[in-house]
Amino acid sequence: MQRDIYMFSNGTVKRKDNTIYLVSETDNKKRPLPVEQIENLHLFGEVHLNSAFLNFMGQKGIFVHFYNYYGFYTGSFVPREQKVSGIVTVRQSEHYLNKEKRLALAQAFVQSAVFHMIRFNRKKNNMNSVFVKEIQELQKKIASAKDVQQLMGIEGLIRQNYYQSLNELILPEFYFTERTKRPPRDPFNALISFGNTMMYTTILSEIYKTQLNPTISFLHEPSQKRFSLCLDLAEIFKPLFVDPLIVTLVNTKKIQPKHFEDHEGMVYLNEEGRKIFIAAFDKKLTDTIKHRQLNRNVSYRYFIRLECYKLIKHVIGDTPYKPLRAWW
């Protein structure tokens, strides 16, 4: 099943009966869209569409994610929720409003993130790094954080050291001095931002397959402008999935300096670079691992949904939440 389809060139989305066509401005070729086989449509650049198209996407339950010319995520069209549960929403809200319950979940996300940061450095034989040792020292403070704000401060220091440890794992031409987001100031930061964006939209799609509300979060503060629960879950999967993928692409020279553009200090992946990254990202999402409890092979994508299911069981009082800690 082709879950995700990407359109990079400017063009128009047209519908004829039950078929959707992506018409490119460059060659005017029609590309049929297999609506029965996909879950997400990613549109990069300027794409023209109308409400009839969005209505059709809503009927088929297809998410449409929009990115601007530079590849930065701008928003999503989300079909009407198919799986809703009043009790899950109420209990999820209760866990946000209760300081102790919220802090416990926030700590779980950070603990899982740090576990995967250290795991990645261990796999790269980088445990003697002063930055990794500092991460291990800061890790001891997570359990004693008195509130989410203090926890976020600890997490911020951990992440600073973690990004410095990544510098020790990559080729010299991709070294960076600090994490810069708005905008990314160098190629490696551009890769991190783009990878995090792709993980964000992937998590959003998986959350909507469950009864969780993506706007009610625990580590990150809920906001009117974002699906903040995606940010919570992304803490787990960025050092497990995104960062190892980036380091591999850089060190194998599949992604090179030629794949970036610099626009007045804002560095971003060009179209060729995005295609290379997305192809690798999609492939890794389908990689499977033998799950110890389910006793069957599970893809990285499904591991995200399993975290959602575990959160649901936790908030409804069924099973305490234990975040993913990769054993493979």
Side-chain angles (χ1 to χ4, degrees):
M1 180 178 181
Q2 189 175 2
R3 293 178 181 269
D4 294 78
I5 283 187
Y6 304 86
M7 182 176 181
F8 293 93
S9 57
N10 293 348
T12 304
V13 183
K14 295 183 177 180
R15 174 190 175 190
K16 184 177 180 181
D17 299 325
N18 284 330
T19 303
I20 295 294
Y21 294 95
L22 304 180
V23 185
S24 173
E25 279 186 1
T26 55
D27 53 19
N28 205 35
K29 287 184 178 179
K30 287 185 178 180
R31 179 187 177 194
L33 181 68
V35 293
E36 304 296 338
Q37 301 175 29
I38 69 169
E39 296 177 353
N40 298 281
L41 175 61
H42 302 261
L43 301 179
F44 292 83
E46 186 175 331
V47 179
H48 303 282
L49 47 84
N50 56 30
S51 59
F53 165 76
L54 293 177
N55 285 332
F56 189 64
M57 293 293 98
Q59 292 169 19
K60 296 297 183 180
I62 297 174
F63 291 73
V64 184
H65 306 291
F66 298 91
Y67 308 80
N68 65 17
Y69 173 82
Y70 303 105
F72 299 131
Y73 173 73
T74 56
S76 298
F77 167 77
V78 179
R80 182 176 61 86
E81 290 185 82
Q82 301 295 319
K83 296 185 177 182
V84 295
S85 170
I87 188 64
V88 171
T89 301
V90 169
R91 296 292 175 80
Q92 195 179 341
S93 301
E94 287 177 351
H95 277 70
Y96 166 75
L97 294 170
N98 184 298
K99 292 183 179 181
E100 291 183 1
K101 292 180 178 180
R102 179 187 176 187
L103 179 60
L105 283 172
Q107 287 170 323
F109 294 136
V110 176
Q111 289 283 16
S112 178
V114 176
F115 175 87
H116 291 128
M117 291 176 191
I118 295 173
R119 172 184 178 272
F120 182 42
N121 274 280
R122 181 178 294 112
K123 281 180 169 288
K124 293 296 183 178
N125 298 314
N126 198 39
M127 293 302 291
N128 289 326
S129 166
V130 295
F131 302 112
V132 176
K133 293 184 183 300
E134 183 62 21
I135 291 171
Q136 291 175 312
E137 288 301 311
L138 289 165
Q139 184 183 26
K140 299 173 184 177
K141 300 181 179 181
I142 295 173
S144 60
K146 292 181 170 52
D147 52 42
V148 173
Q149 289 71 31
Q150 185 179 9
L151 177 64
M152 287 290 281
I154 297 169
E155 189 272 341
L157 292 173
I158 289 172
R159 194 158 290 280
Q160 286 177 22
N161 282 277
Y162 172 63
Y163 284 131
Q164 290 300 318
S165 75
L166 293 186
N167 246 344
E168 301 172 328
L169 307 179
I170 58 178
L171 294 177
E173 56 261 43
F174 279 93
Y175 285 172
F176 63 109
T177 55
E178 61 179 343
R179 177 72 176 112
T180 54
K181 302 178 183 179
R182 300 180 183 87
R185 296 296 184 185
D186 54 69
F188 201 79
N189 269 293
L191 277 171
I192 294 173
S193 292
F194 190 73
N196 290 350
T197 290
M198 299 310 301
M199 179 53 65
Y200 178 90
T201 55
T202 301
I203 292 173
L204 177 61
S205 299
E206 293 305 310
I207 288 176
Y208 265 94
K209 295 170 188 172
T210 74
Q211 294 83 14
L212 286 173
N213 186 316
T215 66
I216 303 172
S217 53
F218 308 99
L219 176 61
H220 297 85
E221 199 66 39
S223 168
Q224 293 180 345
K225 298 182 179 180
R226 63 186 183 183
F227 298 108
S228 48
L229 186 59
C230 297
L231 301 177
D232 283 3
L233 292 174
E235 295 296 325
I236 296 171
F237 292 96
K238 287 187 294 186
L240 172 62
F241 184 100
V242 177
D243 301 330
L245 178 63
I246 291 172
V247 171
T248 296
L249 289 172
V250 165
N251 287 350
T252 57
K253 297 191 175 182
K254 290 181 179 178
I255 292 286
Q256 301 177 31
K258 68 179 181 179
H259 294 125
F260 299 86
E261 303 289 341
D262 189 331
H263 176 71
E264 297 180 351
M266 176 179 65
V267 180
Y268 59 94
L269 274 169
N270 59 26
E271 185 173 318
E272 183 184 1
R274 287 176 217 155
K275 288 180 178 179
I276 293 170
F277 186 95
I278 287 170
F281 185 91
D282 273 2
K283 183 180 182 300
K284 187 166 182 177
L285 276 179
T286 63
D287 288 349
T288 59
I289 298 95
K290 184 68 172 291
H291 197 285
R292 293 188 295 190
Q293 281 75 46
L294 299 179
N295 198 32
R296 62 182 174 88
N297 286 341
V298 171
S299 68
Y300 275 98
R301 183 188 291 273
Y302 197 70
F303 268 110
I304 297 171
R305 198 176 326 165
L306 287 176
E307 287 304 295
C308 298
Y309 291 150
K310 289 191 291 184
L311 273 178
I312 291 172
K313 288 184 177 182
H314 177 87
V315 299
I316 65 174
D318 186 354
T319 306
Y321 176 65
K322 293 183 179 180
L324 176 65
R325 293 192 174 201
W327 59 85
W328 58 91

